[in-house]
Amino acid sequence: MLSGRRTMKLMRVGTAGAERPALLDEDGTTWRDLSGLVPDIDGGLLADPAALERVRAAAEAGDLPVIPSDGVRVGPPLARIGKVVCIGLNYHDHAAETGAEPPAEPVVFLKAADTVVGPYDTVLVPRGSARTDWEVELGVVIGRTARYVADDEDPLAYVAGYTTSHDVSEREFQLERGGTWDKGKNCETFNPLGPWLVTADEVPDPQSLALRLWVNGELRQNGTTGAQIFPVAELVRYVSRFMTLYPGDVINTGTPAGVALGQPEPKPYLRAGDVVEVEVEGLGRQRQRFRDASEVHGG
């Protein structure tokens, strides 16, 4: 559950590559322009407590300019992401549905930052894909440089905020084409993010958030972060021992049961025309229509 104080929902709106920073007003519909206060929503802002307080003060004053929202795209809520670190098999029920043993240590892989798109952008089914799958996840955004986080430190002190993440996957590429999982995780548009980012102080317990995902209106995933094998704090500590986490890096923390891979045959993998909606409690709801990559790029 989110805290009872006013929630600061940071956004980026506008055409891809030209988004401007914004704030979702308390009414849940009005966008407020932050471009007069900060250049963007990125690691630099999230690492600067004074800048975040200026944003909060302006929001509470209620005099930020309104951005007309009609027909304006919502982009990912974070710019210049350094890396996306993903955690596989991090829910007991998801491991069970895929026939995997719960891991003794977190399963870590990387997703390229250029897979990140906006929460309502089109997602492309890769050429030759027959097993494109969905995964709702809690996204953790880093706000302080984390390296070798010690056992007596609070790993959550390194977290700037949280967001809704969709870790789209191609299972044949991931599991049957040799090598690591990267082939099935890094296809173009495979990480819708947002619609907004909520600062960490407003999510007192990241282990009590509901996650849901619908395909063509049918509820497919319905879980809670409380069922994670490795909670958020442990993930930050663990990952920091293998790579340095910088402000603006993202950790996708795994998905609960209900993915297509775990369903009986014929498994309901995604096809062009399918619509997926993704939601994490308090962090907003996404909606993507899937389209064949060959229709966009030819071939």
Side-chain angles (χ1 to χ4, degrees):
M1 298 291 293
L2 298 182
S3 71
R5 60 183 296 195
R6 178 188 178 115
T7 303
M8 192 163 67
K9 297 174 179 175
L10 302 173
M11 305 176 64
R12 299 172 64 250
V13 300
T15 57
E19 297 93 344
R20 56 175 157 167
L23 183 80
L24 183 66
D25 212 351
E26 281 200 306
D27 63 11
T29 59
T30 303
W31 298 348
R32 299 286 181 174
D33 192 353
L34 294 178
S35 58
L37 284 177
V38 296
D40 212 338
I41 310 297
D42 59 9
L45 172 66
L46 299 176
D48 186 346
L52 287 171
E53 278 306 309
R54 288 196 299 272
V55 171
R56 185 179 295 280
E60 292 176 349
D63 55 3
L64 289 167
V66 173
I67 301 175
S69 59
D70 289 349
V72 179
R73 169 182 174 269
V74 177
L78 186 64
R80 289 173 287 281
I81 297 170
K83 56 183 171 288
V84 181
V85 183
C86 299
I87 309 300
L89 301 173
N90 195 30
Y91 287 73
H92 288 283
D93 56 2
H94 175 54
E97 73 174 347
T98 61
E101 290 291 327
E105 296 187 43
V107 175
V108 178
F109 61 94
L110 294 176
K111 201 159 193 171
D114 62 13
T115 62
V116 173
V117 294
Y120 313 118
D121 288 349
T122 298
V123 174
L124 302 179
V125 177
R127 297 184 199 181
S129 169
R131 301 182 188 176
T132 295
D133 206 348
W134 58 81
E135 293 188 19
V136 57
E137 307 206 3
L138 171 65
V140 176
V141 182
I142 299 300
R144 291 172 51 201
T145 299
R147 56 169 62 89
Y148 302 108
V149 175
D151 289 343
D152 60 353
E153 290 185 87
D154 177 11
L156 296 183
Y158 293 87
V159 175
Y162 301 93
T163 189
T164 300
S165 187
H166 186 187
D167 176 19
V168 187
S169 308
E170 212 297 336
R171 301 302 189 185
E172 181 187 358
F173 297 177
Q174 176 190 354
L175 302 172
E176 300 180 20
R177 299 296 294 271
T180 66
W181 288 5
D182 292 353
K183 295 175 186 175
K185 294 289 189 173
N186 282 280
C187 303
E188 186 176 12
T189 72
F190 262 28
N191 201 160
L193 201 67
W196 53 71
L197 184 156
V198 172
T199 51
D201 59 314
E202 301 178 19
V203 184
D205 184 5
Q207 304 309 139
S208 64
L209 302 177
L211 307 92
R212 299 182 183 89
L213 182 145
W214 296 259
V215 180
N216 299 324
E218 180 179 353
L219 182 64
R220 289 291 190 175
Q221 290 185 274
N222 186 10
T224 171
T225 54
Q228 290 180 344
I229 298 171
F230 305 103
V232 171
E234 179 56 27
L235 292 176
V236 173
R237 188 193 317 278
Y238 183 86
V239 172
S240 78
R241 294 172 178 171
F242 296 90
M243 64 190 80
T244 303
L245 295 168
Y246 295 101
D249 285 351
V250 176
I251 301 177
N252 285 341
T253 57
T255 198
V259 299
L261 178 65
Q263 304 302 308
E265 298 289 352
K267 299 181 188 297
Y269 289 113
L270 295 166
R271 300 288 185 268
D274 286 341
V275 174
V276 177
E277 296 170 276
V278 182
E279 181 179 63
V280 178
E281 180 184 0
L283 305 180
R285 185 162 172 162
Q286 306 179 354
R287 185 181 190 274
Q288 300 106 33
R289 184 175 294 276
F290 280 65
R291 185 177 178 187
D292 279 331
S294 59
E295 294 179 0
V296 177
H297 298 302

